[in-house]
Amino acid sequence: MGAKELVLEYYNSQAYANAEALKRFIHNDIVLQWNSSKGYLELDKDDLLALAAELNKSYISSRVNISHIIEEGDTVSVRYTHYVHAFENPDEEMVLANFMVIWEIKDNQFYKGFLMSQLA
């Protein structure tokens, strides 16, 4: 499987919101450097698994809409919007945030990530 196919499978399977499913996609030594509208975070595997579990608990459902995806070797850049349905208002889908991420793939898993996000 190529890097782009792996990244598409990750987002299409919604593994970002399922800690068990996420384990298959992330390398043991993963580092995600995240610049958000609220500041800078550096996340490792345990942090990402906790984030996926929290996302799953916080929303009824979520999905991403990828507008751009570019592959160059083992590096994939993705621009997407993340939509959620909150427990408080399950009939309304809202934009959680807009994202731009560069993923470096190693051993057919996400190894390094460089993420920028802005809340909706």
Side-chain angles (χ1 to χ4, degrees), residues 3-4 7 66 68-79 100-103:
K4 182 178 177 180
V7 171
I66 296 173
H68 296 81
I69 184 164
I70 301 167
E71 175 185 41
E72 184 176 306
D74 289 333
T75 302
V76 180
S77 299
V78 187
R79 180 177 176 261
M100 178 64 207
V101 62
I102 301 168
W103 288 115

Side-chain angles (χ1 to χ4, degrees), residues 63-120:
R63 69 177 180 90
V64 299
N65 182 29
I66 296 173
S67 61
H68 296 81
I69 184 164
I70 301 167
E71 175 185 41
E72 184 176 306
D74 289 333
T75 302
V76 180
S77 299
V78 187
R79 180 177 176 261
Y80 63 94
T81 303
H82 191 159
Y83 297 88
V84 294
H85 285 97
F87 285 103
E88 296 82 12
N89 195 359
D91 295 331
E92 182 182 339
E93 183 177 67
M94 62 183 193
V95 174
L96 180 63
N98 296 292
F99 293 89
M100 178 64 207
V101 62
I102 301 168
W103 288 115
E104 291 182 11
I105 308 300
K106 179 180 176 182
D107 302 328
N108 210 34
Q109 291 183 309
F110 292 49
Y111 180 64
K112 287 187 182 174
F114 307 92
L115 178 68
M116 294 186 77
S117 65
Q118 174 137 13
L119 293 174

Side-chain angles (χ1 to χ4, degrees), residues 3-87:
K4 182 178 177 180
E5 289 77 20
L6 177 72
V7 171
L8 284 170
E9 183 180 341
Y10 165 75
Y11 287 107
N12 290 334
S13 71
Q14 299 181 343
Y16 52 84
N18 180 326
E20 269 314 300
L22 181 59
K23 289 178 185 177
R24 175 172 108 53
F25 289 93
I26 58 176
H27 197 278
N28 284 334
D29 299 324
I30 190 169
V31 175
L32 176 65
Q33 296 177 355
W34 185 355
N35 289 282
S36 77
S37 51
K38 294 190 173 191
Y40 175 78
L41 295 170
E42 191 164 297
L43 306 175
D44 63 14
K45 183 177 182 175
D46 291 336
D47 297 327
L48 291 170
L49 293 172
L51 184 63
E54 186 63 32
L55 185 61
N56 191 39
K57 281 190 240 176
S58 299
Y59 300 102
I60 292 173
S61 65
S62 69
R63 69 177 180 90
V64 299
N65 182 29
I66 296 173
S67 61
H68 296 81
I69 184 164
I70 301 167
E71 175 185 41
E72 184 176 306
D74 289 333
T75 302
V76 180
S77 299
V78 187
R79 180 177 176 261
Y80 63 94
T81 303
H82 191 159
Y83 297 88
V84 294
H85 285 97
F87 285 103

